Amino acid sequence: VSTQSTGKKTMGNAASSLEDMEGAVCDSTHQRGRDKHSQRCKHKSEFAAAITKFRDAITDGAAGEQLGNASIQVAVRKRPLSQMEMNSGQFDSVSCTDAGVWVHSGLMRADLQTMHMEHSEYLFDHVLSENADNAMVYGRCAAPLVDQVIAGGSAAIIMFGQTGSGKTYTMGSIVQAAAAHMFRDSRRESRPVELAYFEVDGSSIRDLQQQGAELTLADDANQQTHVRGLTMSGFRACDELLVQLEAAAASRASAATGSNDQSSRSHSICQLRLGLGLLTLVDLAGSEWAADRASHSSERQQEGAKINTSLMSLKQCIRAAQQPGAHVPFRNSVLTHALRSALTENRRNTLLLATVAPGSSSTEHTLSTLEHTNRIAINSTASTNPNLS
């Protein structure tokens, strides 16, 4: 397989012709109008064989050193290929090594006869393959941050990714493990663990512990943002807190999408406080492309557009917050305004965890997720290492 470096610190590309690798050529009678998904399904065996060959040629750590020394830790989790994806003829288009994530794009050349593959690589602080269980995700990525909270500090974990990529599933496991972790310490000192839980839906903020009661934002004299009227409930038993959390989560806005029967359509923010320590857990609504929304109602399409706008504002704020002296446009969206304190106070105790779907129909969306996450990783490292800026 021929490989060409892009010259970027954390990304490389390789391109390979299936005609060269496998001696495979498409049927010339295929219509020009076939989309990428149908072409990938049609030639699943050839594309999958090429990916297997490429995987055999790469080794853990081949991409080079991981980022390290970053102001924000960046991690990626790949979920397993689902039964639905397999039933629809998709193949696994994502590979993970210890150092990075490879995305394999099955494409057609201009002659519409030759199959072609592009392999794109991205490096992150933590890479979690489909073989990583929830305990491993928590131990590697979240537990060190919770230790900081128990010691009286603040930390934030932000989940980002495509609708149906496993964000809410992963965040749910992290919240449960973090609560248990904090209660193990709280029992030693007889301190309660406090819970606040709210959602941001467009320009609205709602208290999920109060059946969606409307809330407002206010800034104090120190430019700290507070959520007025937010319920903070205290618990002395982990089971009680988790029961309350589950009941509150049922009030979160959701709707059917092309990926899930019930997909989160709002951004949720869960806060766990132990003494002076505060853990902020942000489960962002799934990002979508216009093509994803094509079959949605006009209401769902407008909703998806608002979600994407707020996600873009958040990315801009995260990147700007890493640059000394840069203006951070927190007021561009209600989401970023609500997260202002978390993004400014926790720069070195913040984890951005992106989830990706491995199905071949999600290839372009996975590339987009990793591109955005990769830029944050580069900026994060450059802000602490001028040689990389």
Side-chain angles (χ1 to χ4, degrees):
V1 179
S2 60
T3 302
Q4 295 180 337
S5 172
T6 63
K8 292 185 180 180
K9 175 68 179 177
T10 58
M11 177 180 160
N13 283 333
S16 54
S17 167
L18 282 178
E19 186 174 26
D20 296 333
M21 292 192 305
E22 306 293 338
V25 180
C26 283
D27 186 347
S28 61
T29 61
H30 287 170
Q31 297 180 4
R32 279 184 169 272
R34 291 291 183 91
D35 61 18
K36 292 178 181 178
H37 174 50
S38 61
Q39 292 285 3
R40 288 166 183 162
C41 290
K42 180 71 174 178
H43 304 289
K44 173 183 175 179
S45 60
E46 291 93 340
F47 283 130
I51 292 172
T52 298
K53 186 172 182 177
F54 186 87
R55 284 174 178 152
D56 290 342
I58 60 175
T59 58
D60 285 347
E65 297 180 359
Q66 289 173 276
L67 295 175
N69 193 36
S71 59
I72 292 179
Q73 293 289 299
V74 183
V76 172
R77 185 184 196 185
K78 170 194 172 184
R79 66 160 171 78
L81 197 67
S82 71
Q83 190 62 51
M84 182 178 70
E85 288 167 328
M86 289 187 281
N87 290 344
S88 64
Q90 298 183 50
F91 53 86
D92 187 344
S93 64
V94 178
S95 301
C96 296
T97 68
D98 287 344
V101 181
W102 286 94
V103 182
H104 314 285
S105 304
L107 304 168
M108 304 300 295
R109 291 197 183 277
D111 61 8
L112 296 182
Q113 294 184 348
T114 307
M115 286 178 283
H116 173 69
M117 293 212 73
E118 292 183 356
H119 308 281
S120 303
E121 183 191 28
Y122 304 83
L123 295 185
F124 300 100
D125 297 296
H126 305 283
V127 176
L128 301 139
S129 75
E130 65 271 33
N131 297 318
D133 60 15
N134 289 335
M136 182 180 293
V137 174
Y138 182 77
R140 287 181 57 182
C141 299
L145 297 179
V146 177
D147 286 334
Q148 294 290 327
V149 172
I150 291 172
S154 296
I157 299 174
I158 302 172
M159 296 290 306
F160 165 72
Q162 172 191 1
T163 298
S165 61
K167 292 186 321 310
T168 299
Y169 170 78
T170 299
M171 179 58 86
S173 70
I174 289 176
V175 172
Q176 292 182 28
H181 190 165
M182 294 170 74
F183 270 104
R184 285 195 296 273
D185 183 82
S186 71
R187 284 196 294 270
R188 287 197 297 269
E189 301 184 23
S190 299
R191 296 185 296 175
V193 175
E194 297 177 287
L195 167 69
Y197 196 20
F198 62 99
E199 70 175 346
V200 176
D201 185 1
S203 60
S204 300
I205 304 176
R206 293 188 286 266
D207 191 335
L208 294 175
Q209 292 194 83
Q210 296 296 330
Q211 293 76 49
E214 292 285 341
L215 302 168
T216 58
L217 296 174
D219 294 338
D220 62 23
N222 297 318
Q223 298 301 305
Q224 297 300 303
T225 301
H226 304 275
V227 184
R228 284 180 172 172
L230 179 62
T231 302
M232 182 70 80
S233 305
F235 299 88
R236 294 190 176 276
C238 186
D239 289 346
E240 294 176 359
L241 184 149
L242 293 179
V243 168
Q244 174 72 352
L245 188 67
E246 183 178 1
S251 299
R252 186 178 176 187
S254 63
T257 67
S259 301
N260 280 327
D261 291 337
Q262 286 297 315
S263 182
S264 300
R265 309 307 294 156
S266 67
H267 310 295
S268 76
I269 301 171
C270 173
Q271 295 178 329
L272 297 176
R273 183 182 294 277
L274 180 60
L276 297 176
L278 177 65
L279 177 65
T280 301
L281 302 124
V282 184
D283 181 19
L284 298 172
S287 58
E288 292 184 343
W289 282 9
D292 300 328
R293 304 192 301 269
S295 61
H296 293 180
S297 66
S298 59
E299 180 183 0
R300 290 281 85 81
Q301 289 179 8
Q302 292 174 9
E303 180 184 81
K306 289 179 180 178
I307 288 172
N308 285 351
T309 298
S310 63
L311 290 174
M312 186 57 65
S313 295
L314 178 60
K315 294 169 197 171
Q316 291 171 349
C317 286
I318 291 176
R319 289 198 289 265
Q322 296 169 36
Q323 308 304 317
H327 169 68
V328 184
F330 287 115
R331 290 183 177 273
N332 280 3
S333 76
V334 173
L335 173 65
T336 52
H337 194 186
L339 291 176
R340 179 176 185 171
S341 297
L343 294 175
T344 54
E345 296 176 1
N346 307 324
R347 293 185 192 180
R348 290 192 174 275
N349 288 329
T350 296
L351 170 73
L352 178 66
L353 177 51
T355 53
V356 295
S360 51
S361 70
S362 298
T363 301
E364 283 69 34
H365 216 317
T366 295
L367 285 168
S368 178
T369 295
L370 295 178
E371 284 281 1
H372 286 298
T373 310
N374 184 246
R375 288 175 197 151
I376 291 171
I378 293 173
N379 288 346
S380 179
T381 304
S383 69
T384 57
N385 185 355
N387 294 325
L388 298 179
S389 60

